[in-house]
Amino acid sequence: MYNINEINWFPGHMKKALGKITEKLKQCDGVIEIGDARAPYSSFPDYLDKITQNKVKVYVFSKADLADQVLFSKQLEKYKAKGIEPFSFDLRDPNASKGMLKYLANVRTSQDQRFLRLGFPLPIKRFIVLGIPNVGKSTFINCLAGKKKAAVENKPGKTRSEPLIKISSQVEIFDAPGILEPNYENKNVIAKLALLGSVKMEILPIVALTDYLLDILITRYPKNLIDRYQIDLSGTYEEIYSKIALSRKLLISGSKPDTSRARNMVLTEFRSGQLGRISLDEE
Ligand SMILES: Nc1nc2c(ncn2[C@@H]2O[C@H](COP(=O)(O)OP(=O)(O)OP(=O)(O)O)[C@@H](O)[C@H]2O)c(=O)[nH]1
Ligand SMILES: [Mg+2]
């Protein structure tokens, strides 16, 4: 139905960034892994586990304001059952991170235990934020810092280096570029990450991708589609996008439905939450 194989989502700069991040990790006490609440399994790539062994780990979900609340609560319970207690936020909310900063300052490494035993003052805690592109890593840093210290944009690939950002007298954090896996065995995973906005728009097969989005919406969130666009959901996907185009008056030469614009509009409205709170990972 959709073919995501044609995307080259792992450009050369991600490979280079992975090398630089591995170096920076040596200077860090811990790692803050940021995932997207709308895909709490798919948005943590495997490379994170490979490069962050033996590090203190803190798990954070961004975009909790956009996720299906009931489903996300169940998914958080599953993490907790495995002994992982993730934080989850709307990272744009300036109050979101109050408890988080205290938590990071109180993380104790084995080096800290030694310092405490010897009666030395504790060194500054240093972390790195890691995750897929556009997930909210730089927003998270700004949220903790209480001001704009890291560059943020709603486009994957905004952060290109690893600046060290002072958050408080006790905590510093390296920002980092977002990285995807070089290969995703399950192509639905990279399709979901593309829907979330982690792959550059210019290289996306929009028809295939928006067919996949429609598939998820019709199966799991039909009411959101019907309420927003006032359409019935019969017909092929192209026909449904035609109905959406007609209902929004997206027309070519005054009368024909512009399905291409309708597809882009639905994708944008899904990403921004205008279609409601929708999660891509099931269960
Ligand atoms: N609704 C919502 N939007 C968020 C949240 N966190 C981040 N964003 C938005 O997501 C977009 C990307 O945020 P960034 O902080 O630049 O993401 P990043 O992970 O640093 O991205 P790269 O540097 O490109 O890898 C921005 O438009 C943010 O405003 C959140 O919790 N909720
Ligand atoms: Mg960034």
Side-chain angles (χ1 to χ4, degrees), residues 33-198:
E33 295 192 10
I34 307 204
D36 188 311
R38 293 166 295 173
Y41 311 123
S42 303
S43 62
F44 283 127
D46 289 344
Y47 79 85
L48 287 180
D49 286 337
K50 288 184 203 131
I51 66 171
T52 60
Q53 279 162 5
N54 310 321
K55 292 282 173 193
V56 172
K57 284 198 208 179
V58 182
Y59 294 89
V60 174
F61 284 115
S62 65
K63 312 200 184 185
D65 53 303
L66 299 173
D68 175 331
Q69 273 169 301
V70 175
L71 184 56
F72 184 51
S73 304
K74 284 188 198 151
Q75 290 164 332
L76 278 180
E77 288 308 316
K78 286 193 183 164
Y79 269 97
K80 286 179 193 160
K82 286 191 203 153
I84 297 173
E85 292 265 353
F87 290 84
S88 65
F89 302 116
D90 173 355
L91 292 178
R92 297 160 316 154
D93 172 0
N95 295 319
S97 64
K98 279 191 183 136
M100 184 78 216
L101 189 53
K102 205 164 155 206
Y103 179 89
L104 292 179
N106 284 322
V107 164
R108 293 289 171 262
T109 61
S110 49
Q111 189 202 29
D112 290 337
Q113 308 296 357
R114 214 165 49 240
F115 274 52
L116 285 172
R117 272 199 306 276
L118 295 169
F120 293 161
L122 289 178
I124 291 183
K125 287 272 124 34
R126 197 175 271 183
F127 296 88
I128 187 164
V129 287
L130 297 180
I132 56 173
N134 210 38
V135 71
K137 299 176 295 300
S138 303
T139 307
F140 173 79
I141 289 180
N142 292 338
C143 181
L144 282 187
K147 55 179 115 152
K148 193 168 176 204
K149 293 201 169 184
V152 166
E153 199 183 348
N154 197 5
K155 253 186 177 181
K158 179 66 181 171
T159 305
R160 284 297 178 106
S161 62
E162 301 78 23
L164 182 61
I165 296 168
K166 197 166 170 64
I167 303 291
S168 71
S169 57
Q170 294 161 300
V171 176
E172 289 173 342
I173 306 183
F174 282 111
D175 197 0
I179 302 181
L180 295 160
E181 287 285 317
N183 291 303
Y184 285 91
E185 264 169 46
N186 179 350
K187 298 298 176 219
N188 284 351
V189 172
I190 184 65
K192 286 176 188 173
L193 304 187
L195 287 175
L196 295 178
S198 290

Side-chain angles (χ1 to χ4, degrees), residues 221-263:
Y221 300 97
K223 197 171 175 307
N224 299 50
L225 272 176
I226 294 165
D227 289 353
R228 180 136 188 102
Y229 304 118
Q230 306 293 313
I231 50 161
D232 72 86
L233 300 180
S234 61
T236 63
Y237 291 167
E238 185 64 12
E239 283 162 358
I240 295 173
Y241 278 115
S242 290
K243 291 183 207 181
I244 293 173
L246 288 174
S247 103
R248 285 300 178 88
K249 301 200 172 39
L250 303 175
L251 306 172
I252 307 170
S253 347
S255 59
K256 263 182 69 195
D258 188 342
T259 53
S260 170
R261 273 170 70 203
R263 286 174 181 274

